[in-house]
Amino acid sequence: MDLVSRSVSQGLAGQRPGSPVDAVRRIVGQPARDPFAAALAIRARTDGLVLGDVDDALTSGALVRTWAMRGALHVVAAADAAWLVALLGPRAAADLRDRRHALGLDDTRVAHGAKVLAESCVVPRTRAELLADLAESGMALDDTRAFAQLVVFTALTGQIVRVADVGGEPTFARAETCVEEEAVLLDRLASRYLAGYGPATWEDFAAWSGLPTGKAKSAFGRQYPPAAPPEPARTVRLLGPSDAYLLGYGSRVFVVPSGFEERVEQEGVVQPLVVVDGGTVGTWGMEGGVVQVAPFAILPRGVGALLRAEVGELGRFLGVELVLQERA
């Protein structure tokens, strides 16, 4: 597998945009359960930004968060949210039905609660405000898990999206609707996936998107792989946790050296990784002003200087001074 071409497709190597929206659109969406990790993913795919630029894109509404690929929370461009949810949301919502029922949310209560949330979110509403709205409607929810599942259902059915937090509290707004045909949306998603993740297979596309095998294979077969990108200079990137580069394929066998899988994924979370020319060479963490890198083996010649430069770029993005420390 050509990892260099993959890293170029992802925006991790070669020319990088200067816009958070362009970076996110390139990979369709970045997992956003951890907002800081999502910001790190955007940083690795842009040039010259600071953390405030990412915050501004969320505050302005150019980027939103919603449940899309695999039914997981992603940050996506606002212009992509409606069609992504229209294509991927219904299946994911159906898959979560048993979980909702286990939390006391039968179909009738879910329909009522979703209607309340959607009508309330005509203007942005915080989590506390939505809980109050539900209680006023006669549906008080004391279980935070039940409320979370109701929010996820309402988002997956294309009624609300998560926007910039207000006072540190999750905040939601009314979603736009999409009326395009499924076949059009399938082709669009397959094309966008190939452009941002290629070279890849239809199995990768199915695993990343959560689409049924038949639909994924059919849509993927109607696409043509992008032309091979030019070979970039050697590139070193510090990727945050759960980066799209590691979650975008059916297997990590090509990008993770054999024997290091347990260091890459711990307790279900993909760790922050050091990537050189598309391949992972170690993990990293940050404490205070120190970036600690734990390489899998002796780093290739010339990587040390590039790694120090990347640490400097990370510090500039965060607005802090960082130093590099290598550990065994």
Side-chain angles (χ1 to χ4, degrees), residues 19-20 44 55 66 72 106 118 157 186 203 211 225 228-229 239 241 306 323 327:
S19 159
D55 293 338
T66 195
D106 61 28
T157 50
L186 281 169
E203 291 93 342
L211 285 167
L239 303 186
L306 293 173
V323 296
R327 67 177 189 266

Side-chain angles (χ1 to χ4, degrees), residues 2 6 33 148 151 156 171 183 188 203 212 230 286 307 318:
D2 186 352
R6 275 189 175 179
R33 185 175 182 180
V151 166
L156 285 172
T171 303
R188 182 184 302 158
E203 291 93 342
M286 185 168 56
L307 183 55
L318 297 176

Side-chain angles (χ1 to χ4, degrees), residues 261-323:
E261 295 86 357
E262 291 186 359
R263 284 178 60 178
V264 167
E265 183 172 349
Q266 298 177 12
E267 298 181 354
V269 177
V270 176
Q271 299 301 298
L273 297 174
V274 183
V275 174
V276 176
D277 297 337
T280 55
V281 300
T283 60
W284 68 278
M286 185 168 56
E287 186 173 348
V290 178
V291 172
Q292 296 180 326
V293 170
F296 298 149
I298 297 175
L299 293 174
R301 183 183 298 274
V303 167
L306 293 173
L307 183 55
R308 287 190 291 274
E310 175 72 348
V311 168
E313 279 298 298
L314 175 61
R316 185 195 56 74
F317 175 79
L318 297 176
V320 297
E321 186 173 342
L322 297 176
V323 296

